[in-house]
Amino acid sequence: MPTAPFPAPRGAAASSGPTVAIDIGGTKIAGALVHPDGTMTATTRRPTPRGVDADGVMAAVAEVVAELSESPLWSAAVRCGIGSAGPVDASRGTVSPVNIGAWREFPVQERVVAELAAHGADLPTVLAGDGVAMTAAEHWLGAARGHANALCMVVSTGVGGGLILNNQLHPGPTGNAGHIGHISVAFDGEPCVCGSRGCVESIASGTAIARWALDQGWTPSDTGSGTGSAGSAGAGGGDATAAGVAAAATAGDPIALAAFDRAGRALAAAIAATATLVETDIAVIGGGVAAAGDTLFAPIRHHLAAYATLSFVKDIQVVPAVLGTHAGLIGAAAAATMLLPSSSS
């Protein structure tokens, strides 16, 4: 969390009060009051309930709102931003998170608005997918700060993203613009869960990286290196996830290196395509897979030179995200501030 003041996101009044921020994911539901200088107070969180119905999950969200309402600054809040795992439909205020099975087309925005009102806060509210929220956060306080046109990406168990165009967050009509994970970069590639073929997500997500490495004969080991039969994957307690593949790549395992090179090439092709389409000048990459550092970023930058060849895209920067675990709450607040510019105290 930033300790020094930063300018409020474009569109916010200098005297604005705090934004109620709610971050909904598969493992936790968090909340905070996010102030115009980027600081957070009254932070709280609950584990995302398992084995319950839709209302059972919503009950945890309601507990977060109730705890936030106990803050002495609650009455000064001027807006609310909800960031959620997707898919989302911001036009309808609904979410169907892949990792929250109880919620399918769940009207989370309407339900949160009702909880806010129940605690005396009748606030304009915005719903954003987690990729769009991360984009808003990185543009406000992170690696995309100062860039008028940016692509921000989350590379994790899936691949999501968002766009900043002309210093404005561009979520699109349903909140899914910038969803780079489902750009096809291999027209004869394997089927993707979305129904298309050769999508970035089917090649570069953490799940895809691990699956491909195992299919090629990589065997996870306790030291994170080694090759062998994929049939013995996991034997001896090895890490069969993308983190295990990254560790093996760092140790020089050729299959692991090839898995990250393949993922980097897919990401490079999609970054170049996006930059060519809308003239972004920076790509910010966060998420668990980005924690691999140069194991991921080096092949992206290498392959980008072959894809981003036109004069107006060849200098695009590719950098890691910097906000980490704070991106969800900061992003929910930043998205609300950018998309509700008339809100002020």
Side-chain angles (χ1 to χ4, degrees), residues 57-90:
V57 178
M58 185 61 208
V61 179
E63 289 177 7
V64 166
V65 173
E67 187 165 335
L68 293 177
S69 73
E70 296 173 2
S71 166
L73 299 173
W74 176 255
S75 61
V78 295
R79 64 183 76 82
C80 174
I82 308 164
S84 176
V88 306
D89 186 341

Side-chain angles (χ1 to χ4, degrees), residues 134 138 142-144 153 282-287 290-291 293-294 296-297 301 317-324:
M134 174 265 194
E138 290 291 333
M153 306 169 60
I282 189 170
V284 177
I285 304 177
D294 281 347
L296 177 68
F297 284 90
R301 291 170 180 144
Q317 301 177 53
V318 179
V319 300
V322 299
L323 292 179

Side-chain angles (χ1 to χ4, degrees), residues 221-240:
S221 69
D222 291 329
T223 59
S225 62
T227 59
S229 168
S232 62
D239 184 354

Side-chain angles (χ1 to χ4, degrees), residues 121-285:
D122 183 14
L123 301 178
T125 300
V126 160
L127 169 66
D130 50 7
V132 171
M134 174 265 194
T135 299
E138 290 291 333
H139 184 252
W140 180 20
L141 300 177
R145 187 166 179 247
H147 290 266
N149 301 286
L151 165 69
C152 297
M153 306 169 60
V154 179
V155 183
S156 185
T157 52
V159 178
L163 290 167
I164 296 289
L165 300 178
N166 194 26
N167 275 317
Q168 300 295 323
L169 186 64
H170 182 74
T174 67
N176 291 289
H179 200 338
I180 195 170
H182 295 289
I183 289 178
S184 178
V185 292
F187 70 87
D188 57 351
E190 65 181 84
C192 178
V193 292
C194 75
S196 185
R197 280 187 174 274
C199 291
V200 175
E201 183 170 296
S202 69
I203 299 171
S205 70
T207 306
I209 290 170
R211 183 178 63 245
W212 188 86
L214 291 167
D215 287 348
Q216 299 304 307
W218 172 72
T219 298
S221 69
D222 291 329
T223 59
S225 62
T227 59
S229 168
S232 62
D239 184 354
T241 69
V245 181
T250 300
D253 184 283
I255 294 178
L257 285 165
F260 270 90
D261 184 75
R262 181 174 179 263
R265 184 178 181 185
L267 290 166
I271 290 167
T274 303
T276 303
L277 187 66
V278 295
E279 292 197 59
T280 53
D281 57 19
I282 189 170
V284 177
I285 304 177

